[in-house]
Amino acid sequence: MRNQRRTRAKKPQAPEKEDVQEKKKYKLVLQIIVISMIMLVAIFIGNTIRKFYIFNTYMAVTNEYSTKDNYKKILIQYEEDEVGFAVMGYKKGDKTLVKMYSEDNTKTISYYDKKKQESITKVEVGKDKVAFVKQEDEAPVLVSSVAYIESFTEISAWQNFLLALHSKIVSETYKGKECYKITAYGDLEQWVDKETGLIVRQSGGYYQYKDGTMKRLYHEYNYQFGIVTDEDIKKPDLTGYKIQE
């Protein structure tokens, strides 16, 4: 008789150490990715809530300053390192007086009495002096630039939330003032005084020179409230000016 050979079933082999280590590494990497994603989402939500709170807080400033009717406002526009013009305005009650000085040495003074609907604008270029006297129910553009307080426009909570989603806010010191630098709507940048909530600097758009050179536009704002006197807003003297009606 033949000897029958017995075949023994092979026992399952235990996973090698390398396989175990690979699985541990995979789990660790997966955990790190999940935790990182959770942290990023938490940071994004927290930052959005922070921006929403900042916008919501400073929009209350709009209501506070929109009722102010006694202040001095200085507005300076410049293209990077070149000053375009400077405006100094005074407002008290229904009367507003604005002085503008341009880089071409043009001096303009504009006066508006809302109650009387009286508008006076006098322009001085070298020896040429011209004055425009009109009855208008709306303030001239130059006067309007001073009659407006640069602060946040009041919007709905939903619009505020969308603004928070698409904007960037960082803290920055500008000319000794602690500000929030807000970047939103493309290239628009605003520096908001943390103490007052007023916009002290704004950048957006470009000015094109005749030679085609493009330079970024900047505006600076400065306010003083409750200091304007009747002397500051008295009707301009038109002596020596050619009057046009």
Side-chain angles (χ1 to χ4, degrees):
M1 295 182 62
R2 290 182 176 180
N3 293 331
Q4 295 181 350
R5 295 181 179 179
R6 294 182 180 179
T7 58
R8 296 182 180 179
K10 295 182 178 179
K11 294 182 180 180
Q13 296 181 351
E16 297 181 0
K17 291 183 179 180
E18 292 183 0
D19 293 338
V20 174
Q21 290 178 351
E22 286 296 326
K23 289 182 179 180
K24 286 183 178 180
K25 287 181 180 179
Y26 175 77
K27 289 182 180 180
L28 180 61
V29 171
L30 186 61
Q31 288 176 349
I32 292 174
I33 292 174
V34 172
I35 293 172
S36 299
M37 290 180 67
I38 293 173
M39 290 179 64
L40 287 173
V41 171
I43 291 172
F44 175 78
I45 293 173
N47 192 37
T48 301
I49 292 173
R50 167 181 167 267
K51 290 185 289 185
F52 179 85
Y53 173 78
I54 291 172
F55 290 140
N56 197 52
T57 300
Y58 286 133
M59 277 172 195
V61 173
T62 301
N63 294 327
E64 177 185 349
Y65 284 99
S66 63
T67 59
K68 301 286 185 182
D69 65 352
N70 185 307
Y71 58 86
K72 174 183 177 182
K73 175 181 178 179
I74 298 176
L75 161 64
I76 299 175
Q77 176 182 297
Y78 58 95
E79 302 89 43
E80 296 181 3
D81 56 348
E82 297 182 17
V83 176
F85 64 81
V87 173
M88 184 180 297
Y90 302 85
K91 180 174 175 57
K92 183 182 180 187
D94 292 326
K95 298 179 180 179
T96 307
L97 186 137
V98 185
K99 301 176 182 179
M100 183 175 78
Y101 305 89
S102 303
E103 59 182 345
D104 59 358
N105 295 322
T106 300
K107 179 180 178 182
T108 305
I109 296 179
S110 190
Y111 168 88
Y112 184 67
D113 187 328
K114 184 177 180 180
K115 188 175 182 180
K116 296 181 179 180
Q117 296 186 347
E118 183 180 17
S119 171
I120 299 174
T121 299
K122 63 180 191 177
V123 182
E124 182 178 339
V125 184
K127 296 181 179 181
D128 296 326
K129 297 181 179 181
V130 181
F132 303 89
V133 180
K134 300 179 180 179
Q135 290 295 123
E136 296 183 309
D137 56 357
E138 292 185 1
V141 175
L142 185 57
V143 171
S144 298
S145 67
V146 170
Y148 177 71
I149 301 292
E150 302 295 334
S151 59
F152 283 99
T153 303
E154 189 173 8
I155 57 178
S156 66
W158 173 246
Q159 289 173 313
N160 188 4
F161 175 71
L162 292 177
L163 180 61
L165 280 176
H166 298 93
S167 62
K168 177 183 177 182
I169 301 179
V170 296
S171 294
E172 188 173 295
T173 302
Y174 181 71
K175 291 189 174 180
K177 295 180 179 180
E178 293 299 318
C179 300
Y180 285 119
K181 181 184 176 182
I182 302 172
T183 305
Y185 303 120
D187 66 346
L188 177 64
E189 295 178 329
Q190 295 175 321
W191 285 257
V192 180
D193 189 333
K194 289 184 179 181
E195 183 177 351
T196 65
L198 295 174
I199 297 171
V200 296
R201 189 189 191 206
Q202 183 166 291
S203 172
Y206 291 84
Y207 180 84
Q208 183 172 1
Y209 291 83
K210 293 181 179 179
D211 62 358
T213 304
M214 303 283 287
K215 289 192 175 182
R216 189 168 177 80
L217 280 175
Y218 291 88
H219 293 86
E220 289 188 8
Y221 310 96
N222 185 277
Y223 296 92
Q224 291 177 281
F225 294 93
I227 67 164
V228 179
T229 65
D230 292 336
E231 183 68 18
D232 294 322
I233 55 168
K234 67 180 181 180
K235 188 183 297 187
D237 182 7
L238 302 182
T239 304
Y241 282 79
K242 181 180 179 181
I243 300 176
Q244 298 184 6
E245 297 184 354

